[in-house]
Amino acid sequence: MKKILIVDDEINIGLLLSKFLTRNSFDVTSATSGTSAMDYLAKDHYDLVLCDYRLEDTDGKEMLVKIKDNYPKTGVIIITGYSDIKLAVELIKLGAYDYITKPLYPDEILNTINKAIETQIALNASTQDTPQANAEKVKAGKTVYAFTDEFVIGQSGASKDLMKQILLVAPTAYSVILMGDSGTGKESVAKAIHLNSPRKDKPFVAMDCGSLTKELAGSEFFGHEKGSFTGALYTKIGHFEMANGGTLFLDEVGNLSYDIQAALLRTVQERKIKRIGSTKEIDLDVRIIVATNENLQDAIAKGRFREDLYHRFNEFSINLPPISQRGKDILAFAESFLQLANQELNKEISGFSEEVIDCFLTYNWPGNVRELKNVVRRATLLTETEEIQVKALPLEISTYAKSPGFELADHAENAEKGKPRDLKNAALEAEYETILNVLREVNFNKTKAAKILNIDRKTLYNKMKAIDLDSK
């Protein structure tokens, strides 16, 4: 039986809520002040606190901060007599699961409470559930959260906050902006939102706006009919139509040209599209998630991004923390990527040496999760022992090893092991290192990297794909 603490100085409301929740199989305690509520929390564990925003001795925001600081495994819902969107956003950022306005409707509050408790259970989980555990949950009628193999449920404060926001917005129909440096895993987060939404059985379609030319963008978004323009040899279905009923993920949305942004705005507003060369309108039911590694508000100020389109997308926003701010979650990511690499390469490497762990925790990871994945994948390929050793790491990371016995010659010897010593392989290795170094210099901004490398953006994308630097 889940335990709920009600905090409200209006005794009648507290009493009604207590009776209602008790009838719905909750163990309920009521407090009429912030002070008495903190006393209850100090003596016993509660799964959830329902707290009125206006109390005689404090307010809901102060209570929320105290509860989250002292009892992080307890969920919090704030109840108030008036609606204030700015306050609601502030409370959610401080850790509240939700913000409910009076009058309270039984079905609504019961549904919110159940979801809040389920979300808190997921946040408190130390590891991802195994398929067997999920099967038991299904039998018990409990919610099972779904994630891709590359999504890691971390235990750092930043990771838990990210998880909370994903599970909060996933069941809604909100459009979402994912903001963060390149390589922070924005596509993985977009997939997590989709997989935990009512659209999970419908298509998830990802589209890289950074590689689109102005000429092709309309066809890629909306499709075209055969013969509608020179070179249109067949009918093409666009990404919006492919994603109908599901989720469309637009990566690097800030790179879209202004006229394409105008066409997107019409589509988002009207929820209809026409293929190029067609007069037939197609109704759309698509959730849109966009990602950017630049500040779109700065782009608006510079006239590069439409403010009206930004507000259409920005029904909810999530900031993805760089991996350097996620503490020992780095090791959880590394272990997850090692498992994937073992499967891909048919190996059974058990883990990482202590020196490698030291390197991983000390290095600043400018390429974020994407860089870590590539490092682990490459090291797995080079390793023929039970554990990955420092000499299998790239030079810029291996220099963080604490052991004085490590020699650069070991690194060079291992890097060459098993490779034909010919000019073609040497050239490919040099190209890989050059591209990676330039990407790091510009914080993985592909447009800037292409300019520095003196190649067009499409060529850069192709080269990155060839050496597996394009995975999110």
Side-chain angles (χ1 to χ4, degrees), residues 368-386:
N368 287 295
V369 176
R370 182 191 298 136
E371 182 181 13
L372 176 59
K373 179 187 175 185
N374 287 328
V375 166
V376 172
R377 188 168 179 260
R378 191 177 181 210
T380 305
L381 177 63
L382 292 170
T383 297
E384 296 180 357
T385 56
E386 289 187 1

Side-chain angles (χ1 to χ4, degrees), residues 138-437:
V138 170
K139 289 179 184 177
K142 296 180 181 179
T143 300
V144 178
Y145 296 109
F147 301 97
T148 63
D149 289 341
E150 293 187 8
F151 190 93
V152 174
I153 300 177
Q155 293 305 298
S156 67
S159 290
K160 286 187 175 183
D161 184 58
L162 174 61
M163 174 67 80
K164 176 186 176 298
Q165 292 182 74
I166 289 170
L167 298 180
L168 176 65
V169 77
T172 74
Y174 288 6
S175 296
V176 182
I177 295 181
L178 304 177
M179 296 174 287
D181 296 340
S182 286
T184 45
K186 294 186 281 292
E187 185 168 342
S188 292
V189 171
K191 287 178 180 176
I193 293 171
H194 172 75
L195 290 172
N196 292 283
S197 77
R199 300 171 182 265
K200 62 186 178 183
D201 296 323
K202 300 295 183 179
F204 174 88
V205 178
M207 186 173 180
D208 192 342
C209 300
S211 61
L212 281 180
T213 64
K214 180 179 177 181
E215 293 74 23
L216 290 177
S219 177
E220 291 296 316
F221 275 118
F222 312 119
H224 65 251
E225 296 292 341
K226 180 180 178 180
S228 56
F229 54 84
T230 303
L233 303 178
Y234 54 88
T235 297
K236 176 183 174 66
I237 296 175
H239 284 71
F240 268 104
E241 196 173 345
M242 284 191 282
N244 213 356
T247 302
L248 178 61
F249 172 61
L250 304 178
D251 197 10
E252 297 198 35
V253 72
N255 288 335
L256 291 173
S257 63
Y258 211 78
D259 51 348
I260 292 299
Q261 292 175 35
L264 265 183
L265 178 64
R266 287 194 299 273
T267 300
V268 173
Q269 288 175 332
E270 298 170 9
R271 296 288 172 177
K272 297 177 185 293
I273 60 163
K274 290 180 185 176
R275 294 179 191 164
I276 295 173
S278 173
T279 58
K280 180 184 177 182
E281 286 190 333
I282 299 171
D283 292 328
L284 289 179
D285 174 23
V286 177
R287 181 188 202 163
I288 298 176
I289 302 176
V290 305
T292 178
N293 60 8
E294 65 173 315
N295 189 318
L296 290 183
Q297 291 182 323
D298 286 347
I300 291 169
K302 294 174 182 176
R304 293 191 292 104
F305 201 85
R306 295 183 64 106
E307 185 172 10
D308 45 8
L309 182 61
Y310 170 79
H311 289 302
R312 286 285 179 177
F313 288 155
N314 193 32
E315 292 181 320
F316 194 85
S317 62
I318 299 177
N319 282 289
L320 275 69
I323 197 170
S324 59
Q325 293 181 9
R326 298 173 77 165
K328 290 190 176 181
D329 286 351
I330 291 171
L331 302 182
F333 276 101
E335 290 288 349
S336 176
F337 294 148
L338 176 59
Q339 291 177 23
L340 293 174
N342 275 333
Q343 293 171 14
E344 177 190 1
L345 301 170
N346 195 26
K347 291 195 171 188
E348 296 182 355
I349 297 171
S350 61
F352 307 93
S353 71
E354 289 299 321
E355 283 185 323
V356 170
I357 291 172
D358 288 339
C359 290
F360 282 178
L361 294 177
T362 308
Y363 182 61
N364 62 355
W365 299 106
N368 287 295
V369 176
R370 182 191 298 136
E371 182 181 13
L372 176 59
K373 179 187 175 185
N374 287 328
V375 166
V376 172
R377 188 168 179 260
R378 191 177 181 210
T380 305
L381 177 63
L382 292 170
T383 297
E384 296 180 357
T385 56
E386 289 187 1
E387 286 187 333
I388 290 177
Q389 304 295 327
V390 175
K391 61 184 179 181
L393 302 180
L395 185 58
E396 65 272 17
I397 301 176
S398 62
T399 54
Y400 286 86
K402 293 181 180 179
S403 170
F406 173 68
E407 299 289 343
L408 295 184
D410 291 339
H411 182 280
E413 178 188 344
N414 195 78
E416 290 299 317
K417 194 171 187 178
K419 288 187 178 181
R421 295 190 177 183
D422 57 36
L423 288 175
K424 183 179 179 181
N425 278 295
L428 288 173
E429 183 70 16
E431 184 173 275
Y432 173 91
E433 294 296 341
T434 301
I435 291 173
L436 188 56
N437 288 336

Side-chain angles (χ1 to χ4, degrees), residues 24-226:
N24 282 277
S25 303
F26 291 102
D27 182 355
V28 183
T29 302
S30 294
T32 56
S33 68
T35 301
S36 59
M38 295 308 295
D39 288 341
Y40 282 122
L41 286 164
K43 295 173 183 176
D44 201 354
H45 167 74
Y46 291 88
D47 297 283
L48 184 70
V49 175
L50 289 176
C51 184
D52 191 56
Y53 186 77
R54 294 193 179 277
L55 299 169
E56 288 187 3
D57 60 343
T58 185
D59 62 36
K61 184 161 70 173
E62 186 177 342
M63 284 293 295
L64 172 62
V65 172
K66 285 181 180 179
I67 293 168
K68 285 300 174 183
D69 283 347
N70 294 284
Y71 311 101
K73 293 189 175 182
T74 298
V76 181
I77 294 174
I78 302 295
I79 300 173
T80 185
Y82 64 98
S83 179
D84 184 337
I85 297 299
K86 288 184 178 179
L87 179 60
V89 171
E90 183 181 5
L91 291 171
I92 288 172
K93 286 183 177 179
L94 288 172
Y97 172 78
D98 208 345
Y99 174 98
I100 302 176
T101 56
K102 298 174 183 176
L104 304 178
Y105 298 98
D107 290 344
E108 177 189 358
I109 196 164
L110 186 60
N111 184 51
T112 303
I113 286 170
N114 285 328
K115 286 184 176 179
I117 290 174
E118 288 176 356
T119 300
Q120 196 62 42
I121 289 171
L123 290 174
N124 294 340
S126 58
T127 59
Q128 298 186 61
D129 286 336
T130 63
Q132 293 82 0
N134 278 340
E136 291 302 316
K137 281 189 173 185
V138 170
K139 289 179 184 177
K142 296 180 181 179
T143 300
V144 178
Y145 296 109
F147 301 97
T148 63
D149 289 341
E150 293 187 8
F151 190 93
V152 174
I153 300 177
Q155 293 305 298
S156 67
S159 290
K160 286 187 175 183
D161 184 58
L162 174 61
M163 174 67 80
K164 176 186 176 298
Q165 292 182 74
I166 289 170
L167 298 180
L168 176 65
V169 77
T172 74
Y174 288 6
S175 296
V176 182
I177 295 181
L178 304 177
M179 296 174 287
D181 296 340
S182 286
T184 45
K186 294 186 281 292
E187 185 168 342
S188 292
V189 171
K191 287 178 180 176
I193 293 171
H194 172 75
L195 290 172
N196 292 283
S197 77
R199 300 171 182 265
K200 62 186 178 183
D201 296 323
K202 300 295 183 179
F204 174 88
V205 178
M207 186 173 180
D208 192 342
C209 300
S211 61
L212 281 180
T213 64
K214 180 179 177 181
E215 293 74 23
L216 290 177
S219 177
E220 291 296 316
F221 275 118
F222 312 119
H224 65 251
E225 296 292 341
K226 180 180 178 180

